[in-house]
Amino acid sequence: MDADAPLGPSFREAVGSTVTAFLAGQEPVLAGMGPELAPLRTLAAELLDGGKRLRPAFCVWGYVAAAGLPDAATAEPLLRAAASLDLLHVSALVHDDVMDSSDLRRGRPAAHRQFEAQHTAAGRLGDAGAFGRAAAILLGDLLLMWSAELLLRSGMAADALARATPVAEAMRTEVTCGQYLDIVAQAQPLRADPAAALAEAGRVVEYKSARYTVQRPCQLGAALGGADPGLQDALAAYGSPAGRAFQFRDDLLGVFGDSAVTGKPAGDDLREGKRTVLVAHAYAGADAAGRALLAARLGDPDLDADGVAALQDVIVSSGAVDAVEAMIADGLARALAALGTAPVTDEGRRGLTALAEAAVRRQF
């Protein structure tokens, strides 16, 4: 494990191999129930191939922060426990794409679109779109259950799993409730009061992303490593601002990112009507014409390239991009300041520092 490059190729490959081995173990289970289930495993493997592996990395380095580098007997069980978070993450992505009617994920058709195409190709009865959405929901549910199974069967000691289970349970609850807060926010008109809009967007960010991406994975790993309450509190003080900064970067990429790099169509967050901190700043800072354009076109599924460009212009001219970049810098600074005084191991401090910087400075 390299504390200076905790998201290096060797780590990502190790997580990928662990996930592949777990899915291979599920293949005979599904095959025993019938050949119709083969697409579930195939699509699960496709969706789990690649990705940033951020959540497993934060979990591993949370463990290191508490207990130091794992010995030979612990390294593989820890990796399996950490890899379970990638299954949870892909579960959330599959469900998110259904709710947002997204067409692409990681440069490929989203799960519900692939199931829809399979329905059409097989000449099945009924509405192909409805079948695709239903199948994707079930795939997401299956990945969620497999995530819990992989953690439980990781090989970590029983007392370590007992410490980690409440953290995992909180994480699953928070990300689900955060997703619900997100869809409620999208169903509301844009707020003219910037403080109220930012507070609403910030609450969604905290539960849907910040805790789920950084704080809880760190605390899960630390719990596996025997962390005391003081260390868990310190990791919360680090993880929340780092996770928020991560999401704010994601918000910028969702509007301005290169689709060839992000794997999603440019401006997708605008078509989906995401009530992000970026949008809250834009609506607060735009002139009357800009506000009218945001109110009329944000959330329009038929938004074309010209429409995306027009909204991008409003967002830039409003000062929203600069405001969000400042929030990212502030979040990273607060996270690193909290980490600087936290009672963590030297290796853990270096690894979590490198991870926070990688999370907020990424381009995908």
Side-chain angles (χ1 to χ4, degrees):
M1 293 181 181
D2 185 350
D4 296 314
L7 278 176
S10 61
F11 176 79
R12 296 198 304 271
E13 289 167 8
V15 174
S17 297
T18 300
V19 169
T20 298
F22 175 80
L23 292 178
Q26 299 298 325
E27 188 167 5
V29 178
L30 299 187
M33 289 186 276
E36 300 89 344
L37 294 167
L40 290 177
R41 190 225 172 251
T42 299
L43 192 47
E46 178 182 299
L47 290 166
L48 284 158
D49 179 22
K52 294 179 285 293
R53 313 295 193 195
L54 262 178
R55 291 155 192 85
F58 278 114
C59 179
V60 166
W61 290 96
Y63 175 95
V64 174
L69 294 172
D71 58 24
T74 305
E76 286 301 318
L78 174 61
L79 190 60
R80 285 193 288 271
S84 74
L85 299 184
D86 248 15
L87 274 72
L88 174 62
H89 179 51
V90 173
S91 166
L93 294 182
V94 170
H95 285 160
D96 197 46
D97 286 345
V98 172
M99 287 183 281
D100 293 338
S101 298
S102 298
D103 293 324
L104 294 177
R105 172 63 65 182
R106 294 179 175 172
R108 304 183 180 109
H112 61 286
R113 298 302 186 203
Q114 294 201 41
F115 283 124
E116 180 181 339
Q118 290 171 16
H119 179 283
T120 300
R124 294 174 177 144
L125 300 176
D127 181 78
F131 176 87
R133 291 188 295 273
I137 289 169
L138 293 170
L139 174 61
D141 290 346
L142 184 60
L143 287 163
L144 175 60
M145 290 182 280
W146 278 349
S147 172
E149 181 179 336
L150 181 54
L151 175 60
L152 182 63
R153 299 185 181 181
S154 62
M156 293 297 295
D159 60 336
L161 289 173
R163 293 191 301 267
T165 295
V167 181
E169 291 171 343
M171 182 179 181
R172 295 171 196 141
T173 297
E174 287 164 353
V175 70
T176 303
C177 292
Q179 185 67 269
Y180 181 76
L181 290 173
D182 191 25
I183 66 170
V184 169
Q186 285 179 235
Q188 305 297 325
L190 289 168
R191 292 177 180 266
D193 178 357
L198 286 169
E200 182 178 78
R203 189 162 55 115
V204 172
V205 166
E206 180 66 24
Y207 292 107
K208 183 184 174 185
S209 186
R211 296 194 184 194
Y212 159 71
T213 300
V214 182
Q215 180 179 328
R216 294 305 189 190
C218 284
Q219 291 179 317
L220 179 66
L224 291 170
D228 62 23
L231 176 53
Q232 292 290 24
D233 289 344
L235 289 174
Y238 157 83
S240 178
R244 284 172 173 258
F246 165 87
Q247 184 57 49
F248 299 153
R249 176 62 63 204
D250 205 58
D251 293 342
L252 287 169
L253 291 172
V255 173
F256 298 102
D258 182 349
S259 60
V261 178
T262 65
K264 294 195 71 177
D268 230 24
D269 282 4
L270 300 174
R271 295 185 187 90
E272 294 163 11
K274 294 289 187 184
R275 297 300 196 267
T276 62
V277 166
L278 179 67
V279 167
H281 276 297
Y283 196 71
D287 59 19
R291 286 189 177 190
L293 186 62
L294 283 166
R297 301 305 306 275
L298 185 69
D300 180 356
D302 297 321
L303 195 67
D304 59 13
D306 289 340
V308 168
L311 290 181
Q312 288 174 333
D313 287 344
V314 171
I315 292 168
V316 172
S317 64
S318 71
V321 173
D322 291 338
V324 171
E325 287 286 3
M327 292 178 75
I328 291 171
D330 177 69
L332 178 60
R334 287 191 294 116
L336 297 183
L339 189 62
T341 59
V344 300
T345 65
D346 290 342
E347 301 97 336
R349 196 183 320 276
R350 282 171 43 217
L352 290 176
T353 296
L355 273 176
E357 291 174 344
V360 305
R361 291 172 179 159
R362 64 200 169 88
Q363 294 301 313
F364 67 97

